[in-house]
Amino acid sequence: MTILITGGAGFIGSNFIKIWNNTSENRKIINLDKLSYSSNIKNIPIEIKNYKFIKGNIGNVNLVKNILHKYQPDLIINFAAETHVDTSISNPKIFAQNNIMDFLNFIETCKYYWANINQDKKEKFKFIQISTDEIYGSLKKNEKPFAENSPYKTNNPYSASKASANHIAQSFFQTYGFPVIITISTNNYGPHQHTEKFIPKIITSALHNTIIPIYGDGQQIRDWLYVTDHCNALIKIIKYGIPGESYNIGANNEINNLELAILLCEILDKTYPKKNYETYKINIKFINDRPGHDTRYSIDSTKIQTIMKWKPIEEITSGLHKTVNWYLKKLKLFK
Ligand SMILES: NC(=O)c1ccc[n+]([C@@H]2O[C@H](COP(=O)([O-])OP(=O)(O)OC[C@H]3O[C@@H](n4cnc5c(N)ncnc54)[C@H](O)[C@@H]3O)[C@@H](O)[C@H]2O)c1
């Protein structure tokens, strides 16, 4: 089986490549990534077999056409996107260009490829679009989690661009029968994430002894999914997912930002105590809130749990320990 992965030098894509590579010998992986600031080519171990990296933009029609023609993938997973909400607020056009227009070029080129492959391959082919729970918008504390049929109600340019891509993907299924599956996951954490994101930012700020910034009052709730659990859900979806369907992938690990920052500081206090044994917590500082900051994200993953017998297995505390240890090693601080 040949798989085309886009955005595989980023956080989730690179974790997925490692896990996918371990699932079977007989697999070829093509990774198309434009290598933006959030990526790191070193995220993918050199020992990965049957692996080809191509630097480029998913919106480059000729490049994508050539890749599809040359490697004839059986499956495409699109992780590629601009992903930082704060940057989308300061520069929304980049997000519209990358996550909507480049994506439209990409899916159209992939649809053309699929329409012209042999019947057997065509029937087995899947295009998986990786999306985010931010498309559903914000929940109040006591409201029920969002299900796959909840309406989209985006509150920032990032989520708006991701919701737009989902609408385009869904329309390609309805209009052309292109076998799209949309996966919608909660906040991921784990190794390889860029330090601009919440958990790596807390860890690296603490270790660099700078302020640990918390937006607003820190009461925003997120559901944290360990990246390996996400990748394992995707492997189930590759096998059992039905074109035209979308699948929520949640973790049942709801925690507010302040509590999470405190928990990370406590883990660091134990694993990498400061020389004077002062707690890292004293560096936590509240800063001006992000405009349009969503209060709570929570999704109902009953569908994937029931149909595919998937469930998240990483507890938040063990997942955070693993993540902290990874950043300690990366920063060459591990004792
Ligand atoms: N990180 C999360 O918590 C989370 C949660 C739910 C969904 N998602 C989605 O998962 C996907 C991956 O997220 P991530 O956290 O790994 O992001 P990331 O920013 O770490 O990685 C994105 C990768 O995509 C590449 N890329 C971006 N635009 C591209 C383009 N036009 N052409 C080629 N390559 C391009 C970048 O170079 C980078 O390597 C995204 O679609 C994101 O919306 C992320």
Tab-separated table of all heavy atoms in Angstrom, residues 11 133 186-190 193 197-200 202 220-227 229 249-257 259-261 264 297-298 312 314-316 319-320:
chain	number	residue	atom	x	y	z
A	11	PHE	N	3.784	18.262	13.685
A	11	PHE	CA	3.619	17.546	14.966
A	11	PHE	C	2.866	16.213	14.784
A	11	PHE	O	3.436	15.120	14.975
A	11	PHE	CB	2.888	18.507	15.923
A	11	PHE	CG	2.293	17.883	17.148
A	11	PHE	CD1	2.996	16.956	17.914
A	11	PHE	CD2	1.015	18.252	17.570
A	11	PHE	CE1	2.432	16.399	19.069
A	11	PHE	CE2	0.449	17.703	18.718
A	11	PHE	CZ	1.147	16.769	19.466
A	133	ASP	N	-11.747	20.091	16.526
A	133	ASP	CA	-13.016	20.355	17.222
A	133	ASP	C	-13.357	21.846	17.278
A	133	ASP	O	-14.486	22.207	17.617
A	133	ASP	CB	-12.988	19.760	18.646
A	133	ASP	CG	-11.871	20.312	19.529
A	133	ASP	OD1	-11.050	21.104	19.044
A	133	ASP	OD2	-11.832	19.936	20.713
A	186	THR	N	-9.771	16.617	19.196
A	186	THR	CA	-9.559	17.658	20.206
A	186	THR	C	-8.077	18.053	20.214
A	186	THR	O	-7.288	17.521	19.427
A	186	THR	CB	-9.932	17.114	21.591
A	186	THR	OG1	-9.254	15.879	21.756
A	186	THR	CG2	-11.399	16.898	21.720
A	187	ASN	N	-7.714	18.923	21.148
A	187	ASN	CA	-6.312	19.372	21.266
A	187	ASN	C	-5.387	18.185	21.486
A	187	ASN	O	-5.623	17.383	22.385
A	187	ASN	CB	-6.156	20.282	22.486
A	187	ASN	CG	-6.633	21.679	22.231
A	187	ASN	OD1	-7.645	21.887	21.577
A	187	ASN	ND2	-5.902	22.639	22.747
A	188	ASN	N	-4.345	18.102	20.673
A	188	ASN	CA	-3.343	17.040	20.819
A	188	ASN	C	-2.158	17.544	21.633
A	188	ASN	O	-1.846	18.741	21.624
A	188	ASN	CB	-2.788	16.649	19.453
A	188	ASN	CG	-3.712	15.761	18.641
A	188	ASN	OD1	-3.275	14.814	18.028
A	188	ASN	ND2	-5.005	16.040	18.635
A	189	TYR	N	-1.476	16.619	22.292
A	189	TYR	CA	-0.204	16.963	22.936
A	189	TYR	C	0.714	15.746	22.851
A	189	TYR	O	0.266	14.626	22.602
A	189	TYR	CB	-0.418	17.407	24.399
A	189	TYR	CG	-0.827	16.290	25.328
A	189	TYR	CD1	0.078	15.743	26.236
A	189	TYR	CD2	-2.111	15.757	25.301
A	189	TYR	CE1	-0.287	14.709	27.095
A	189	TYR	CE2	-2.483	14.716	26.152
A	189	TYR	CZ	-1.570	14.204	27.039
A	189	TYR	OH	-1.931	13.173	27.859
A	190	GLY	N	2.021	15.993	23.049
A	190	GLY	CA	2.994	14.908	22.949
A	190	GLY	C	4.268	15.416	22.304
A	190	GLY	O	4.439	16.630	22.099
A	193	GLN	N	5.778	18.759	19.154
A	193	GLN	CA	4.904	19.917	18.919
A	193	GLN	C	5.714	21.214	19.003
A	193	GLN	O	6.615	21.348	19.847
A	193	GLN	CB	3.766	19.927	19.954
A	193	GLN	CG	2.659	20.904	19.591
A	193	GLN	CD	1.402	20.710	20.425
A	193	GLN	OE1	1.472	20.238	21.552
A	193	GLN	NE2	0.263	21.080	19.877
A	197	LYS	N	2.769	26.321	20.854
A	197	LYS	CA	1.498	25.751	21.326
A	197	LYS	C	1.504	25.644	22.861
A	197	LYS	O	2.563	25.624	23.486
A	197	LYS	CB	1.253	24.387	20.676
A	197	LYS	CG	1.238	24.439	19.135
A	197	LYS	CD	-0.016	25.110	18.602
A	197	LYS	CE	0.027	25.518	17.132
A	197	LYS	NZ	0.511	24.587	16.176
A	198	PHE	N	0.308	25.525	23.452
A	198	PHE	CA	0.137	25.730	24.888
A	198	PHE	C	1.071	24.878	25.765
A	198	PHE	O	1.827	25.414	26.583
A	198	PHE	CB	-1.339	25.484	25.278
A	198	PHE	CG	-1.627	25.839	26.711
A	198	PHE	CD1	-1.774	27.165	27.101
A	198	PHE	CD2	-1.739	24.851	27.678
A	198	PHE	CE1	-2.023	27.497	28.428
A	198	PHE	CE2	-1.996	25.181	29.010
A	198	PHE	CZ	-2.145	26.500	29.385
A	199	ILE	N	1.024	23.567	25.610
A	199	ILE	CA	1.799	22.702	26.527
A	199	ILE	C	3.309	22.883	26.350
A	199	ILE	O	4.028	23.120	27.337
A	199	ILE	CB	1.326	21.224	26.406
A	199	ILE	CG1	-0.062	21.120	27.071
A	199	ILE	CG2	2.327	20.242	27.036
A	199	ILE	CD1	-0.710	19.759	27.036
A	200	PRO	N	3.845	22.838	25.112
A	200	PRO	CA	5.296	23.091	24.970
A	200	PRO	C	5.696	24.481	25.459
A	200	PRO	O	6.792	24.659	25.984
A	200	PRO	CB	5.544	22.961	23.462
A	200	PRO	CG	4.373	22.222	22.927
A	200	PRO	CD	3.225	22.463	23.838
A	202	ILE	N	4.351	26.172	27.964
A	202	ILE	CA	4.443	26.148	29.435
A	202	ILE	C	5.766	25.478	29.835
A	202	ILE	O	6.515	25.998	30.672
A	202	ILE	CB	3.267	25.331	30.055
A	202	ILE	CG1	1.922	25.877	29.614
A	202	ILE	CG2	3.388	25.230	31.582
A	202	ILE	CD1	1.553	27.190	30.167
A	220	GLN	N	-10.321	28.586	30.572
A	220	GLN	CA	-10.757	27.929	29.322
A	220	GLN	C	-10.457	26.429	29.397
A	220	GLN	O	-9.343	26.036	29.744
A	220	GLN	CB	-10.047	28.526	28.094
A	220	GLN	CG	-10.224	30.013	27.916
A	220	GLN	CD	-9.279	30.824	28.791
A	220	GLN	OE1	-8.403	30.301	29.460
A	220	GLN	NE2	-9.494	32.123	28.797
A	221	ILE	N	-11.469	25.653	29.026
A	221	ILE	CA	-11.331	24.193	29.159
A	221	ILE	C	-11.072	23.557	27.792
A	221	ILE	O	-11.745	23.881	26.797
A	221	ILE	CB	-12.627	23.604	29.767
A	221	ILE	CG1	-12.801	24.152	31.188
A	221	ILE	CG2	-12.589	22.066	29.780
A	221	ILE	CD1	-14.158	23.865	31.788
A	222	ARG	N	-10.104	22.663	27.754
A	222	ARG	CA	-9.808	21.889	26.539
A	222	ARG	C	-9.785	20.417	26.912
A	222	ARG	O	-9.533	20.066	28.069
A	222	ARG	CB	-8.434	22.292	25.952
A	222	ARG	CG	-8.286	23.777	25.617
A	222	ARG	CD	-9.138	24.179	24.422
A	222	ARG	NE	-9.041	25.581	24.066
A	222	ARG	CZ	-9.940	26.512	24.406
A	222	ARG	NH1	-10.982	26.205	25.149
A	222	ARG	NH2	-9.798	27.763	23.998
A	223	ASP	N	-10.006	19.558	25.909
A	223	ASP	CA	-9.974	18.114	26.126
A	223	ASP	C	-8.684	17.612	25.475
A	223	ASP	O	-8.551	17.663	24.250
A	223	ASP	CB	-11.215	17.503	25.452
A	223	ASP	CG	-11.207	15.989	25.516
A	223	ASP	OD1	-10.506	15.429	26.374
A	223	ASP	OD2	-11.917	15.367	24.697
A	224	TRP	N	-7.721	17.133	26.270
A	224	TRP	CA	-6.369	16.872	25.746
A	224	TRP	C	-6.175	15.427	25.333
A	224	TRP	O	-6.311	14.515	26.149
A	224	TRP	CB	-5.322	17.284	26.786
A	224	TRP	CG	-5.263	18.777	26.913
A	224	TRP	CD1	-5.936	19.550	27.813
A	224	TRP	CD2	-4.540	19.678	26.063
A	224	TRP	NE1	-5.662	20.885	27.582
A	224	TRP	CE2	-4.809	20.988	26.517
A	224	TRP	CE3	-3.692	19.523	24.961
A	224	TRP	CZ2	-4.254	22.122	25.921
A	224	TRP	CZ3	-3.140	20.655	24.365
A	224	TRP	CH2	-3.427	21.929	24.842
A	225	LEU	N	-5.816	15.246	24.069
A	225	LEU	CA	-5.658	13.911	23.477
A	225	LEU	C	-4.169	13.650	23.226
A	225	LEU	O	-3.506	14.446	22.527
A	225	LEU	CB	-6.420	13.884	22.139
A	225	LEU	CG	-6.359	12.627	21.286
A	225	LEU	CD1	-7.088	11.468	21.968
A	225	LEU	CD2	-6.990	12.883	19.905
A	226	TYR	N	-3.649	12.550	23.770
A	226	TYR	CA	-2.237	12.236	23.521
A	226	TYR	C	-2.108	11.855	22.042
A	226	TYR	O	-2.935	11.115	21.497
A	226	TYR	CB	-1.768	11.091	24.429
A	226	TYR	CG	-0.273	10.970	24.454
A	226	TYR	CD1	0.528	11.985	24.967
A	226	TYR	CD2	0.347	9.832	23.958
A	226	TYR	CE1	1.911	11.882	24.988
A	226	TYR	CE2	1.743	9.719	23.986
A	226	TYR	CZ	2.510	10.758	24.497
A	226	TYR	OH	3.881	10.661	24.502
A	227	VAL	N	-1.057	12.355	21.403
A	227	VAL	CA	-0.957	12.246	19.939
A	227	VAL	C	-0.979	10.778	19.462
A	227	VAL	O	-1.524	10.478	18.391
A	227	VAL	CB	0.282	13.027	19.429
A	227	VAL	CG1	1.581	12.416	19.918
A	227	VAL	CG2	0.270	13.184	17.922
A	229	ASP	N	-2.695	8.333	20.759
A	229	ASP	CA	-4.101	7.907	20.727
A	229	ASP	C	-4.769	8.412	19.445
A	229	ASP	O	-5.560	7.704	18.815
A	229	ASP	CB	-4.849	8.442	21.956
A	229	ASP	CG	-4.599	7.594	23.195
A	229	ASP	OD1	-4.392	6.379	23.057
A	229	ASP	OD2	-4.599	8.156	24.308
A	249	ILE	N	-12.825	12.512	17.460
A	249	ILE	CA	-11.803	11.766	18.217
A	249	ILE	C	-11.461	12.599	19.457
A	249	ILE	O	-10.718	13.579	19.379
A	249	ILE	CB	-10.525	11.551	17.359
A	249	ILE	CG1	-10.884	10.946	15.993
A	249	ILE	CG2	-9.527	10.665	18.089
A	249	ILE	CD1	-9.720	10.927	15.000
A	250	GLY	N	-12.045	12.214	20.588
A	250	GLY	CA	-11.839	12.972	21.829
A	250	GLY	C	-11.118	12.134	22.863
A	250	GLY	O	-10.873	10.941	22.662
A	251	ALA	N	-10.798	12.758	24.009
A	251	ALA	CA	-9.951	12.068	24.988
A	251	ALA	C	-10.583	11.901	26.360
A	251	ALA	O	-10.055	11.161	27.180
A	251	ALA	CB	-8.651	12.848	25.139
A	252	ASN	N	-11.692	12.597	26.625
A	252	ASN	CA	-12.275	12.617	27.987
A	252	ASN	C	-11.275	13.104	29.026
A	252	ASN	O	-11.215	12.596	30.131
A	252	ASN	CB	-12.789	11.241	28.424
A	252	ASN	CG	-13.831	10.708	27.481
A	252	ASN	OD1	-14.625	11.486	26.955
A	252	ASN	ND2	-13.819	9.408	27.245
A	253	ASN	N	-10.450	14.053	28.645
A	253	ASN	CA	-9.450	14.627	29.559
A	253	ASN	C	-9.656	16.133	29.651
A	253	ASN	O	-8.784	16.912	29.295
A	253	ASN	CB	-8.040	14.390	29.007
A	253	ASN	CG	-7.473	13.062	29.398
A	253	ASN	OD1	-7.763	12.539	30.458
A	253	ASN	ND2	-6.643	12.514	28.524
A	254	GLU	N	-10.845	16.553	30.124
A	254	GLU	CA	-11.091	17.999	30.162
A	254	GLU	C	-10.407	18.626	31.376
A	254	GLU	O	-10.526	18.131	32.485
A	254	GLU	CB	-12.595	18.267	30.223
A	254	GLU	CG	-13.269	18.051	28.890
A	254	GLU	CD	-14.719	18.465	28.882
A	254	GLU	OE1	-15.032	19.555	29.391
A	254	GLU	OE2	-15.534	17.693	28.355
A	255	ILE	N	-9.718	19.704	31.107
A	255	ILE	CA	-8.990	20.403	32.178
A	255	ILE	C	-8.830	21.869	31.746
A	255	ILE	O	-8.704	22.141	30.543
A	255	ILE	CB	-7.617	19.716	32.451
A	255	ILE	CG1	-6.849	20.380	33.589
A	255	ILE	CG2	-6.746	19.622	31.219
A	255	ILE	CD1	-5.638	19.570	34.098
A	256	ASN	N	-8.897	22.789	32.717
A	256	ASN	CA	-8.736	24.190	32.282
A	256	ASN	C	-7.247	24.562	32.202
A	256	ASN	O	-6.382	23.868	32.760
A	256	ASN	CB	-9.599	25.154	33.110
A	256	ASN	CG	-9.055	25.483	34.480
A	256	ASN	OD1	-7.848	25.655	34.672
A	256	ASN	ND2	-9.951	25.580	35.467
A	257	ASN	N	-6.980	25.642	31.472
A	257	ASN	CA	-5.583	25.999	31.156
A	257	ASN	C	-4.743	26.252	32.407
A	257	ASN	O	-3.575	25.852	32.469
A	257	ASN	CB	-5.553	27.252	30.268
A	257	ASN	CG	-6.018	26.944	28.860
A	257	ASN	OD1	-6.162	25.777	28.493
A	257	ASN	ND2	-6.265	27.975	28.063
A	259	GLU	N	-5.258	25.010	35.501
A	259	GLU	CA	-4.996	23.721	36.177
A	259	GLU	C	-3.913	22.929	35.442
A	259	GLU	O	-3.061	22.291	36.053
A	259	GLU	CB	-6.269	22.866	36.215
A	259	GLU	CG	-7.316	23.367	37.180
A	259	GLU	CD	-8.691	22.730	36.949
A	259	GLU	OE1	-8.963	22.197	35.836
A	259	GLU	OE2	-9.501	22.782	37.863
A	260	LEU	N	-3.969	22.982	34.109
A	260	LEU	CA	-2.985	22.249	33.309
A	260	LEU	C	-1.578	22.824	33.514
A	260	LEU	O	-0.597	22.076	33.674
A	260	LEU	CB	-3.393	22.298	31.830
A	260	LEU	CG	-2.506	21.578	30.838
A	260	LEU	CD1	-2.274	20.136	31.222
A	260	LEU	CD2	-3.132	21.630	29.442
A	261	ALA	N	-1.482	24.160	33.541
A	261	ALA	CA	-0.167	24.791	33.750
A	261	ALA	C	0.382	24.405	35.126
A	261	ALA	O	1.577	24.096	35.271
A	261	ALA	CB	-0.286	26.304	33.630
A	264	LEU	N	1.613	20.807	35.045
A	264	LEU	CA	2.908	20.705	34.360
A	264	LEU	C	4.043	21.204	35.266
A	264	LEU	O	5.115	20.598	35.310
A	264	LEU	CB	2.878	21.521	33.064
A	264	LEU	CG	2.200	20.831	31.883
A	264	LEU	CD1	1.859	21.837	30.780
A	264	LEU	CD2	3.086	19.720	31.313
A	297	TYR	N	-13.982	23.404	24.783
A	297	TYR	CA	-14.153	22.457	23.680
A	297	TYR	C	-14.384	21.079	24.280
A	297	TYR	O	-13.654	20.662	25.190
A	297	TYR	CB	-12.894	22.350	22.809
A	297	TYR	CG	-12.464	23.607	22.105
A	297	TYR	CD1	-11.113	23.943	22.009
A	297	TYR	CD2	-13.385	24.447	21.512
A	297	TYR	CE1	-10.696	25.082	21.358
A	297	TYR	CE2	-12.973	25.600	20.854
A	297	TYR	CZ	-11.637	25.907	20.781
A	297	TYR	OH	-11.222	27.035	20.131
A	298	SER	N	-15.360	20.383	23.734
A	298	SER	CA	-15.584	19.008	24.178
A	298	SER	C	-16.373	18.293	23.088
A	298	SER	O	-17.347	18.847	22.562
A	298	SER	CB	-16.378	19.026	25.483
A	298	SER	OG	-16.617	17.714	25.902
A	312	PRO	N	-9.287	6.170	23.739
A	312	PRO	CA	-7.997	6.746	24.131
A	312	PRO	C	-7.462	6.000	25.343
A	312	PRO	O	-8.231	5.691	26.262
A	312	PRO	CB	-8.350	8.187	24.498
A	312	PRO	CG	-9.806	8.175	24.827
A	312	PRO	CD	-10.425	7.059	24.052
A	314	GLU	N	-4.186	6.841	26.905
A	314	GLU	CA	-3.191	7.575	27.715
A	314	GLU	C	-3.900	8.450	28.758
A	314	GLU	O	-4.742	9.282	28.413
A	314	GLU	CB	-2.334	8.454	26.791
A	314	GLU	CG	-1.073	8.973	27.408
A	314	GLU	CD	-0.026	7.884	27.632
A	314	GLU	OE1	0.337	7.201	26.663
A	314	GLU	OE2	0.412	7.730	28.787
A	315	GLU	N	-3.554	8.254	30.031
A	315	GLU	CA	-4.059	9.141	31.099
A	315	GLU	C	-3.333	10.481	30.961
A	315	GLU	O	-2.152	10.500	30.595
A	315	GLU	CB	-3.713	8.566	32.484
A	315	GLU	CG	-4.315	7.214	32.781
A	315	GLU	CD	-5.790	7.308	33.124
A	315	GLU	OE1	-6.240	8.408	33.471
A	315	GLU	OE2	-6.472	6.273	33.017
A	316	ILE	N	-4.003	11.551	31.363
A	316	ILE	CA	-3.393	12.871	31.195
A	316	ILE	C	-2.047	12.987	31.955
A	316	ILE	O	-1.064	13.474	31.405
A	316	ILE	CB	-4.372	14.020	31.597
A	316	ILE	CG1	-3.773	15.403	31.318
A	316	ILE	CG2	-4.840	13.948	33.022
A	316	ILE	CD1	-3.973	15.912	29.954
A	319	GLY	N	0.675	10.941	30.159
A	319	GLY	CA	0.959	11.588	28.861
A	319	GLY	C	1.795	12.851	29.062
A	319	GLY	O	2.730	13.128	28.305
A	320	LEU	N	1.469	13.611	30.100
A	320	LEU	CA	2.235	14.843	30.364
A	320	LEU	C	3.657	14.518	30.817
A	320	LEU	O	4.600	15.208	30.432
A	320	LEU	CB	1.522	15.709	31.411
A	320	LEU	CG	0.205	16.352	30.949
A	320	LEU	CD1	-0.453	17.101	32.098
A	320	LEU	CD2	0.412	17.303	29.763
